[in-house]
Amino acid sequence: MLRVRFAPSPTGYLHIGSARTFIFNWLYARREGGTMVLRIDDTDVERNTEASMQSIFDGLRWLGLAWDEQYAQSDRIALHQQMAWKIFEKGLAYRDFTPMQSTEEERDPAAGPWLGDPAMRALSPAESQRRADAGEPFVLRYRVPRNQNRWVNFKDLVYRKQAKKADDIEDFALLRSNGLPTYHMASCADDLDLRISHIIRGQDHLSNTFKHVLIFEALSDAMPEFAHLPLLIAPDGAKLSKRKHGPVVSVTTYRDAGFVPQAYVNFLCLLGWNPKNNQEFMTVEAIMEKFTFEGINRSNATVNFSDEDPIDPKAAWLNSQHLRTMPVALLAPMVRVAMEGAGISAQGDEAQFQQTVDIIRSRYSVLGDFPAKGRAYFLDDFDTTPEAAEKLNVDGAREGLRALGERLAQDEDFSEAHIEAELRAVADAMGIKAGVLINGSRAALTGQTVGPSAFAVFTAVGRDRVLRRLAAV
RNA sequence: GUCCCCAUCGUCUAGCCCGGCCUAGGACACCGCCCUUUCACGGCGAUAACGCGGGUUCGAAUCCCGCUGGGGACGCCA
């Protein structure tokens, strides 16, 4: 049974790299018919915040990719502790009574790697037990094999064979002096207990994985598969971080910029993965069908943003592609939300609304364009740009448009073909160029000189409004 | 410092593991042209990359070694 998990820690907003990890997990689970687990890694009580939790759920829900099971690590601490002591009982862990270091006297990494305190490793079981019984605080550390020429191995689905000498792995902590599990302990215990079959996560965990392999081996015969993803980095070359790069790394930046979720998913998937067929613009379903670990790269990918523009240009392009081609029925509700956000509630029935959206979206690239540029298609109070006013001031324009309005009013036929025929007839009769009325009608009906083909504008605006606006020109 | 990972156009990438089909392909962005009685879309074209040095080989972007560069881990954070 294939089971994957996404395990964010609620210590900040959902960031772009985490979102991508979530998506890859989801893709793999869905493609293989597996189960997607969402596990909140909230063992660091000091740093957890409710706001962060909210932000993660908001972001995840916005992506629109559902998970099947949900857990919080804080509910499972007893299990983590139990597993930690099981390791201890096997003789694979020891108590370290060294007092906690203050931040002042932090160890200098330049002094060489810290592997553990030999004196603490050497403590006899009886002595260790005596000091613990006396209430002396300790951290429980994994007893990594020393001087045995022992290698820790695992195979990564992306990075292939990985090996590290046990002598290069430090005695990492399992339980802190307050008794709570560390990340490594909690994560592995849960992965085991939740029967996670594939651990898909960022490459920043690649070197931690050797420790995890040690924990898994100590506790079980089952070893999950690993797949590490290349990191997302900023244009300055550093790993994306909220502290350094600000809110651009948050998924809400893209949501608020008017992205449709499937475009954002499409964009993120292309950072570090590709379908090997030169295809880039893809629906989520198409990506899912194509998704394999062979398609994942090993080198880090740069998210292309700048101070002036927080949006990667390729993401913007993908968004416009999705916006223009996705089923209107899917897009319409998003447009409604965007417009309500701008204080516009579109009147009219759903069919007319969708028809209008369908016509005008061909020139738009973000959801915000609908309220910002499309006001005239939904409301009667709209501004006329100076350029549009000029088009209307052309000789014969107003007269022609009024005449056109009168002719259209006498006929129920409001098809583009009919409108075009009528418009050309009016132009002929008045001895003016059709272009005057074509450009003039766009200006009169939308207050703008840019937009869909003039005849499509008539149908997008709707018969009643067209007749009113032409009469009032 | 130690260990791990990575290295193709400005950016995302194909090709690399299994050398020749690579005068290195695609996409975004930028520039030009075409289409279009608007603006976009679209079409066509241009500019643009195998980090460096050694090997191996008839032949290397592809294999090996070294260097350089970048990233990550090294916490009683996750």
Side-chain angles (χ1 to χ4, degrees), chain A residues 370-403:
Chain A
F370 287 91
K373 301 179 183 172
R375 187 181 178 87
Y377 294 92
F378 302 104
L379 294 179
D380 287 325
D381 64 312
F382 57 90
D383 296 327
T384 298
T385 66
E387 296 79 24
E390 247 174 74
K391 298 283 184 193
L392 289 172
N393 289 332
V394 172
D395 282 345
R398 290 177 199 277
E399 295 76 4
L401 291 173
R402 276 195 293 268

Side-chain angles (χ1 to χ4, degrees), chain A residues 5 36 144 151 224 234 242 250 260 266 390:
Chain A
R5 47 59 158 195
M36 169 88 197
V144 179
W151 286 79
K242 12 195 163 187
S250 170
V260 295
N266 190 172
E390 247 174 74

